[in-house]
Amino acid sequence: NNLDGVEIRNVDGTNVSSITLEKAKEVKAKFDAAGLEVWSIGSPIGKIVVNDNFEKHLDSLKHTCEIANVLDSKNIRVFSFFIPKGTNADDYKNEVFEKLEEMLTVSKQYGVTLCHENEKGIYGDIARRCLEIHKALPELKCVFDPANFIQCGQDTNEAYDMLSDYV
């Protein structure tokens, strides 16, 4: 299909962020043989409730960064935490930003760029909050998912106009 790079999400039914480093080396050899590079790791990092155990989640990010290094991938797709049901997402802004900043600190240690994807139910579900994230943390890149914006009632053209500088 004339591809030279892909975002990898699963390996043999397991999210790539959960495979062993040895398995990552096997995957890397297969990609090299096919003449492909892993542009990004499609991780579930940031897909926890904002007030869940964050230290354990940071350990998962560190492992995912190690996998990214084995695969020579410079990018990891992440999310900005699910908001507890029945609460206002804006009330969690400071906590979300602090955790994203900690995640960025970790990723810098591994030379990996984090890329935030909008998704229903997380802090960054609508364009306004995604823009707040990217203005506050400009080193965090943007993965623009129009279908996820549609699920939130967000006009996708408006969202793209707001976020295009970060995509």
Side-chain angles (χ1 to χ4, degrees):
N1 292 323
N2 296 317
L3 294 175
D4 57 6
V6 297
E7 176 179 280
I8 186 172
R9 293 187 186 192
N10 290 292
V11 175
D12 297 331
T14 300
N15 184 277
V16 68
S17 65
S18 297
I19 65 173
T20 65
L21 295 180
E22 195 58 44
K23 184 69 171 180
K25 290 174 187 173
E26 293 173 23
V27 170
K28 172 69 171 143
K30 288 179 182 179
F31 271 86
D32 287 348
L36 292 170
E37 67 178 51
V38 177
W39 181 86
S40 180
I41 303 293
S43 84
I45 301 296
K47 280 190 165 187
I48 61 170
V49 177
V50 68
N51 48 14
D52 279 355
N53 183 337
F54 186 61
E55 290 306 315
K56 182 178 176 185
H57 207 58
L58 275 181
D59 289 341
S60 294
L61 174 60
K62 290 172 186 173
H63 180 70
T64 304
C65 288
E66 291 173 348
I67 291 169
N69 285 176
V70 168
L71 296 175
D72 289 330
S73 177
K74 299 297 178 204
N75 301 292
I76 298 175
R77 179 175 41 94
V78 298
F79 301 86
S80 57
F81 308 101
F82 289 113
I83 302 304
K85 300 256 187 247
T87 63
N88 183 344
D90 291 317
D91 293 341
Y92 293 90
K93 178 180 177 176
N94 291 338
E95 187 174 356
V96 166
F97 283 30
E98 287 171 12
K99 289 180 177 182
L100 288 173
E101 195 164 20
E102 283 185 65
M103 289 166 51
L104 286 165
T105 298
V106 167
S107 71
K108 287 176 193 173
Q109 294 169 358
Y110 292 88
V112 177
T113 299
L114 299 184
C115 306
H116 175 265
E117 180 179 339
N118 57 290
E119 178 157 319
K120 184 177 181 180
I122 66 171
Y123 181 83
D125 58 353
I126 60 173
R128 173 184 59 81
R129 285 195 288 266
C130 288
L131 184 60
E132 290 173 353
I133 290 169
H134 293 297
K135 282 185 173 182
L137 304 165
E139 63 271 30
L140 185 65
K141 302 305 177 195
C142 178
V143 175
F144 186 90
D145 188 325
N148 285 341
F149 278 133
I150 289 169
Q151 289 182 51
C152 298
Q154 171 72 62
D155 178 273
T156 55
N157 289 326
E158 176 186 55
Y160 189 78
D161 288 345
M162 292 173 72
L163 298 170
S164 63
D165 289 343
Y166 303 97
V167 175

